[in-house]
Amino acid sequence: TQLLEQSPQFLSIQEGENLTVYCNSSSVFSSLQWYRQEPGEGPVLLVTVVTGGEVKKLKRLTFQFGDARKDSSLHITAAQPGDTGLYLCAGVHTGGFKTIFGAGTRLFVKA
Amino acid sequence: EAGVTQFPSHSVIEKGQTVTLRCDPISGHDNLYWYRRVMGKEIKFLLHFVKESKQDESGMPNNRFLAERTGGTYSTLKVQPAELEDSGVYFCASSYGQKDNSPLHFGNGTRLTVT
């Protein structure tokens, strides 16, 4: 079974704090995506990483792809209430089109 | 550009009934995917169309589920007869490219409740 394990499943923090969400697998992925999902909507792509060791930044969000392309992390600096939502990691295996999703991390940032 | 649209947004049916979900992908996107999330679980792949052809249907749960994409435009997913365990949110997504890192554009999903 090809699984993507996300941790933590739930995170409640105060505004201004930093946090890191992890996505781990025993499988190698050709690419890994991070999505954010709001209630009643579909997932919206935040970033795609494709190279082992790659780091991408999107404002206060930093995404890293592991050297072996089996894991990834999302770091949020100085979290804001607007960051509240469900964060999903998803991976695609080499040569495939099937995207495999993690179960998600539900983040709540309190003002 | 219009995004991926799904209809209906919600559907409540009784066990044994039939339901048909519709997905209109972004114009020009040859790749269309169906995914499903059941309560408390991760989003799971159901199947993938390239134009009108089924590229991969390995995620379809059983033969009560039938997906079509006649003409390579919109797609339908029919569940007949529906069972209680079919309840969940059904997402459709589309993508343009053939590369394995082409971004997926998701619709808002259809929440199906089978009672």
Side-chain angles (χ1 to χ4, degrees), chain B:
Chain B
E1 116 188 313
V4 176
T5 57
Q6 292 187 243
F7 182 84
S9 57
H10 294 79
S11 180
V12 181
I13 61 173
E14 293 183 352
K15 176 182 173 181
Q17 290 186 323
T18 298
V19 63
T20 300
L21 314 181
R22 172 169 170 146
C23 169
D24 286 79
I26 292 173
S27 178
H29 281 194
D30 288 341
N31 295 279
L32 186 149
Y33 308 80
W34 284 99
Y35 285 84
R36 176 176 76 170
R37 171 187 274 150
V38 296
M39 182 72 76
K41 299 289 185 65
E42 69 272 20
I43 297 173
K44 284 195 172 180
F45 169 85
L46 296 179
L47 89 160
H48 168 212
F49 284 99
V50 177
K51 297 185 180 179
E52 68 275 8
S53 299
K54 291 178 184 175
Q55 178 82 9
D56 181 351
E57 53 183 327
S58 61
M60 294 288 265
N62 50 61
N63 59 10
R64 294 185 294 102
F65 289 75
L66 175 65
E68 294 180 320
R69 193 184 181 194
T70 307
T73 54
Y74 71 90
S75 175
T76 58
L77 179 64
K78 181 192 290 187
V79 185
Q80 178 182 31
E83 297 290 343
L84 298 179
E85 64 265 25
D86 300 333
S87 295
V89 182
Y90 290 76
F91 290 104
C92 175
S94 70
S95 69
Y96 174 75
Q98 292 292 312
K99 292 181 180 180
D100 55 14
N101 61 352
S102 295
L104 295 178
H105 299 263
F106 280 85
N108 288 337
T110 293
R111 181 173 295 277
L112 175 64
T113 303
V114 183
T115 63

Side-chain angles (χ1 to χ4, degrees), chain A residues 17-31:
Chain A
E17 292 183 355
N18 302 330
L19 66 115
T20 302
V21 177
Y22 299 94
C23 180
N24 296 291
S25 175
S26 58
S27 302
V28 176
F29 293 94
S30 63
S31 69

Side-chain angles (χ1 to χ4, degrees), chain A residues 43-66:
Chain A
V44 176
L45 181 69
L46 295 174
V47 76
T48 298
V49 286
V50 298
T51 305
E54 182 177 4
V55 177
K56 282 192 174 179
K57 292 193 174 184
L58 187 64
K59 295 183 181 178
R60 293 176 292 100
L61 278 60
T62 302
F63 306 86
Q64 185 163 7
F65 202 11

